[in-house]
Amino acid sequence: MIKAVAILARLHLMLWLSLWCWGSAHAGVIDGLYSAKVEVSDQSTGTQNKAIRQGLEDVFVKVSGSSSLLRDPKISQQLKQAKSYLRTYRFEQTPEQLYLSVNFDQEKVDKQLRNSGYRIWDKRRPESILWLAIKEPQGGRELISESSHQGLLIRAQETATRRGIEVVQPLLDLDDMQSISIYDVWGGFVHQLAQASRRYAVENVLSARVYSVENPDAKTRTELQWQADWTLLEAGNTTSGTVTGEDQEQTVIALINSLADNLATKYAIDFSRLDPNAQRTVVSIKNLTNLRQYGEIVKFFNGLSVVNSANLVSQTGQVAQFELSLLGDVDNLIDAMALDNRLSPANRFEVDRQNLEYFWKL
């Protein structure tokens, strides 16, 4: 009798999950990965065709996380057929500018990227805070703020939007200035900056110093180029690099592109490396107290691009086990789960790849 009741209870739970999972999405999702908004000068057919191609370029870059794929002959050939990927388009007029908004077929875009050997980056992406310092040729070092270099911050946000990533700009208010100094940003002391960044609730900390240097390709010594030395703190790991540009704006654009490339390397799924024997895993979720949480978890798993399907396979007390069919490997799954603050590893020091156990935060 007890066994029969347990079976009926589980069937009721599974039925309820199938109905509940049509609910709304949660925070941390980048919308519009398969859409683009392109500036146009008029509504002629030629202008429209160029804008559709530009829009598909933007979508290929956003979804793959790769800024170099546009140099691939296979992708270039597809861009000539951009209209075949198009789902909808419309012109939008603002007081300042005319735009063409385009939306492309997700299935066709994903298929082409996979067939061309590129990754697919999930719509759930980590947020990064951007601490910038600059030294003008005839001036001292200063933090880049909206009041001092608004144009640079606008370019940074525009580039982040084009790459499909979230970049947060610090307020640089009294709280910030009591926590950090220009020397922390200039020196790339990201661990100190991470303390000041806690109030912004971001996953990553990017620090960069921007300054002018002699252009090695210039004909005269008076010609300069700009350089940004950056340091990224991501999941406790520190990486660094350098980008250059003809001017300050181009250098900041290169900086954001470099950030997006680095994040995509970790979070985008490389389908060429899939292991057919490692495409299923079981995740245990603890601290579950009501039916709604089961629905949230199933919806969460099924919303990850690394997960093909998710099913509840057992439930005992406040612990449930979910079997996942994966499109990537376990590391891809662990990285994706780390982006949701509702989940925390049972072992907070190190995630056991062979025994995935997490707490669900109430």
Side-chain angles (χ1 to χ4, degrees), residues 30-162:
I30 302 295
D31 293 320
L33 289 180
Y34 297 86
S35 301
K37 193 173 182 178
V38 183
E39 292 185 5
V40 292
S41 57
D42 56 61
Q43 298 188 24
S44 66
T45 301
T47 298
Q48 179 179 308
N49 290 339
K50 289 179 181 178
I52 292 173
R53 176 182 174 126
Q54 176 64 58
L56 185 58
E57 288 181 4
D58 290 350
V59 166
F60 276 150
V61 170
K62 280 193 294 185
V63 176
S64 69
S66 172
S67 59
S68 62
L69 89 169
L70 297 179
R71 297 191 292 270
D72 187 328
K74 295 188 294 292
I75 297 299
S76 297
Q77 184 62 36
Q78 294 305 309
L79 291 173
K80 297 177 181 178
Q81 309 167 35
K83 274 192 170 182
S84 67
Y85 288 82
L86 191 64
R87 290 186 60 195
T88 61
Y89 73 91
R90 69 178 184 274
F91 287 97
E92 296 181 6
Q93 179 71 63
T94 68
E96 299 82 18
Q97 182 64 51
L98 177 66
Y99 296 92
L100 181 68
S101 291
V102 287
N103 179 260
F104 296 96
D105 188 294
Q106 177 176 344
E107 185 176 344
K108 291 192 68 173
V109 169
D110 287 353
K111 181 179 180 181
Q112 182 58 50
L113 290 174
R114 286 196 299 268
N115 291 344
S116 299
Y118 291 98
R119 299 168 180 249
I120 304 293
W121 195 359
D122 188 71
K123 62 183 178 181
R124 299 187 67 260
R125 303 184 178 190
E127 290 186 344
S128 305
I129 191 167
L130 178 62
W131 298 89
L132 287 175
I134 192 169
K135 184 181 184 306
E136 300 285 359
Q138 306 301 325
R141 301 168 183 172
E142 62 176 316
L143 295 175
I144 291 180
S145 65
E146 187 173 346
S147 60
S148 66
H149 294 82
Q150 184 182 40
L152 292 183
L153 297 182
I154 290 175
R155 292 295 171 270
Q157 287 296 340
E158 288 176 346
T159 307
T161 299
R162 185 168 185 263

Side-chain angles (χ1 to χ4, degrees), residues 166-177:
E166 291 283 354
V167 172
V168 175
Q169 297 169 0
L171 297 174
L172 298 182
D173 57 6
L174 184 60
D175 288 341
D176 283 342
M177 301 317 295

Side-chain angles (χ1 to χ4, degrees), residues 213-257:
V213 295
E214 288 187 6
N215 188 342
D217 299 323
K219 297 180 180 179
T220 66
R221 287 190 175 183
T222 59
E223 294 185 43
L224 300 176
Q225 69 176 13
W226 286 83
Q227 180 168 308
D229 303 328
W230 58 265
T231 304
L232 174 65
L233 179 64
E234 189 270 327
N237 300 314
T238 302
T239 55
S240 58
T242 297
V243 295
T244 58
E246 294 181 356
D247 53 32
Q248 295 176 2
E249 288 192 358
Q250 291 301 314
T251 303
V252 168
I253 290 172
L255 173 67
I256 302 302
N257 279 326

